[in-house]
Amino acid sequence: QLQASGGGLVQAGDSLRLSCAASGRTFSTYGMGWFRQAPGKEREFVAAITRGGRSTPYADSVRGRFTISRDNVKNTVYLQMTRLKPEDTAVYHCAASRRGEVVFTTEFRYDYWGQGTQVTVSS
């Protein structure tokens, strides 16, 4: 089970940190990803991280502003978001892939999904 939190209403230029807490004892074996879905748009890839944290690809739209990280002791993956823009407004979902040694940028590669947390950035 994945539980995302940390969303909210912020102004452009602000920062937020999203968290995704996972239950179970196998979190460290999973690859993790963040996706987002804006109103009227398809869900899109944001960032991912391998089980050991070595590989962390990002979507072009967030590279340099967002940072994904994980704490395998706390069973949590984070998404630090800085210099937020109105176009970052979306529901953010975390996801887990059983193939933890590889990072995936497509949602069908992920096996488990959290419920999402709303991020709203005002201009």
Side-chain angles (χ1 to χ4, degrees):
Q1 185 176 2
L2 301 174
Q3 182 74 37
S5 62
L9 172 63
V10 298
Q11 293 186 334
D14 285 351
S15 299
L16 272 178
R17 188 177 79 159
L18 305 184
S19 299
C20 176
S23 59
R25 289 179 284 184
T26 58
F27 174 80
S28 63
T29 68
Y30 284 75
M32 301 297 297
W34 285 98
F35 290 76
R36 67 186 182 184
Q37 187 166 22
K41 295 186 177 181
E42 294 186 351
R43 189 157 55 185
E44 65 175 3
F45 169 77
V46 176
I49 187 167
T50 48
R51 61 190 180 190
R54 284 190 171 185
S55 182
T56 56
Y58 295 91
D60 289 344
S61 58
V62 307
R63 187 176 295 111
R65 298 188 298 121
F66 291 12
T67 303
I68 188 171
S69 62
R70 66 189 296 160
D71 185 332
N72 286 342
V73 174
K74 294 183 178 179
N75 282 10
T76 303
V77 63
Y78 304 98
L79 186 68
Q80 178 68 50
M81 307 185 293
T82 64
R83 291 181 281 140
L84 282 161
K85 304 175 181 180
E87 50 263 44
D88 295 319
T89 295
V91 176
Y92 284 71
H93 298 267
C94 59
S97 169
R98 288 191 292 263
R99 289 204 57 189
E101 75 281 11
V102 182
V103 284
F104 297 114
T105 61
T106 50
E107 55 184 290
F108 76 89
R109 292 287 190 174
Y110 288 83
D111 304 291
Y112 306 100
W113 290 83
Q115 86 293 350
T117 184
Q118 176 72 47
V119 173
T120 303
V121 184
S122 63
S123 57

